[in-house]
Amino acid sequence: MTGTVERGVERRATPVLARRNPAAKLAAALLFSLPLIATLDPVAPAVAVAVELAVLPLFGVRPLALLRRAAPLLLSIAGTLVTLLLFAADRSGTVLLDAGPVLLTTGVLWTALGMALRVVAIALPGLIVLSTTDPTDLADALIQNARISPRFAIGALAAFRMVPLLTDEWRTLAAARRARGVDAGRNPAAAVRIFVSAAFALLVGAIRRGVRLATAMDARGFDARTPRTVARRQSFRYPDALLMVAAAGLSAAALAISVLTGVFRPII
């Protein structure tokens, strides 16, 4: 009786969207983000990003925590912006800066802004889902509700669990090189050489660990063709379906706003 009460209190304390079915949250993220690929203008992704930031409290995700998770994404966006500003083929619009090979126009800025916002709008739903979903629950939901092959789902879960090990191993490699006195100093070429060498060592270690893990899983019957039972049930309820419908509707609304404002630019 006490355990039931504790589970009920814990469930009420969990934000309303965070406790939805993991497969439904993943499907909602795809339904919301994938239609945004259809346009190049910045209006639709800007509306989508505003919606994503507005629902963060419903998922229980703190903006600063999401910002830390999205740091690699922001770095890639910065690189994309620099590439577009320097090498974009479309130089239409008013000239804002003409400095030799650098020609900055309003058309280039519009394209770069649309690309950056679209990347953020497409990636944020996945980050939000992964931040509020236990990987084991997601694998269980994919097997039970999405009818994904248990072999694929459990293999993906094992690979996902190994990702943090790569970070720890990279720190270990860096510490070992520093202990041996291997340091690039201020030499960029040496820094690149050391980075490539460490990345190759990390790749070799990951492959070896993956082979050992696959052998261990095979020995424990994970590759058996017999039907598998589940320890934790993942139920798909009406609110889960409503979340998916709402995600598709909000994405369509973002595209509709882009069309109504006259800035819609289809990708094809």
Side-chain angles (χ1 to χ4, degrees):
M1 182 65 180
T2 303
T4 304
V5 173
E6 290 178 352
R7 286 194 296 269
V9 172
E10 181 181 358
R11 184 172 181 82
R12 286 194 297 270
T14 305
V16 59
L17 294 184
R19 61 172 179 259
R20 297 273 58 86
N21 183 281
K25 288 192 290 185
L26 181 61
L30 294 175
L31 290 172
F32 184 82
S33 59
L34 290 183
L36 300 174
I37 300 176
T39 180
L40 297 174
D41 69 89
V43 174
V47 174
V49 171
V51 171
E52 292 160 2
L53 295 179
V55 300
L56 285 182
L58 299 179
F59 280 97
V61 178
R62 296 181 179 179
L64 291 180
L66 184 63
L67 183 61
R68 287 194 296 268
R69 287 177 175 267
L73 174 66
L74 298 178
L75 291 177
S76 66
I77 291 174
T80 302
L81 287 176
V82 172
T83 302
L84 284 174
L85 293 176
L86 294 178
F87 305 108
D90 183 13
R91 299 288 175 174
S92 60
T94 305
V95 176
L96 301 176
L97 176 64
D98 188 358
V102 179
L103 179 61
L104 183 61
T105 66
T106 54
V108 173
L109 282 180
W110 189 256
T111 302
L113 181 62
M115 179 65 70
L117 287 174
R118 187 167 58 154
V119 172
V120 173
I122 292 174
L124 275 186
L127 290 176
I128 295 172
V129 170
L130 293 179
S131 300
T132 60
T133 304
D134 181 79
T136 304
D137 291 339
L138 178 59
D140 289 339
L142 290 176
I143 294 172
Q144 299 173 39
N145 305 127
R147 304 303 184 210
I148 299 294
S149 168
R151 180 180 181 183
F152 172 80
I154 297 175
L157 171 62
F160 186 81
R161 291 291 193 187
M162 291 178 64
V163 170
L165 297 179
L166 296 178
T167 304
D168 295 337
E169 189 167 349
W170 180 265
R171 295 195 185 100
T172 302
L173 287 172
R177 290 177 181 274
R178 286 195 300 270
R180 293 198 302 267
V182 180
D183 188 9
R186 298 183 179 181
N187 189 341
V192 171
R193 185 174 64 253
I194 292 175
F195 175 82
V196 171
S197 176
F200 182 75
L202 185 68
L203 175 63
V204 172
I207 293 175
R208 289 176 177 173
R209 187 182 296 106
V211 171
R212 291 195 297 267
L213 179 61
T215 303
M217 293 177 67
D218 189 21
R220 287 168 173 79
F222 282 97
D223 195 28
R225 301 298 179 182
T226 55
R228 302 185 62 86
T229 57
V230 293
R232 297 185 294 185
R233 301 297 304 178
Q234 297 291 335
S235 57
F236 190 92
R237 299 185 175 89
Y238 173 75
D240 300 315
L242 186 61
L243 173 63
M244 296 170 58
V245 173
L250 289 172
S251 182
L255 292 177
I257 292 174
S258 175
V259 173
L260 293 175
T261 53
V263 298
F264 180 75
R265 292 175 56 193
I267 192 171
I268 299 177

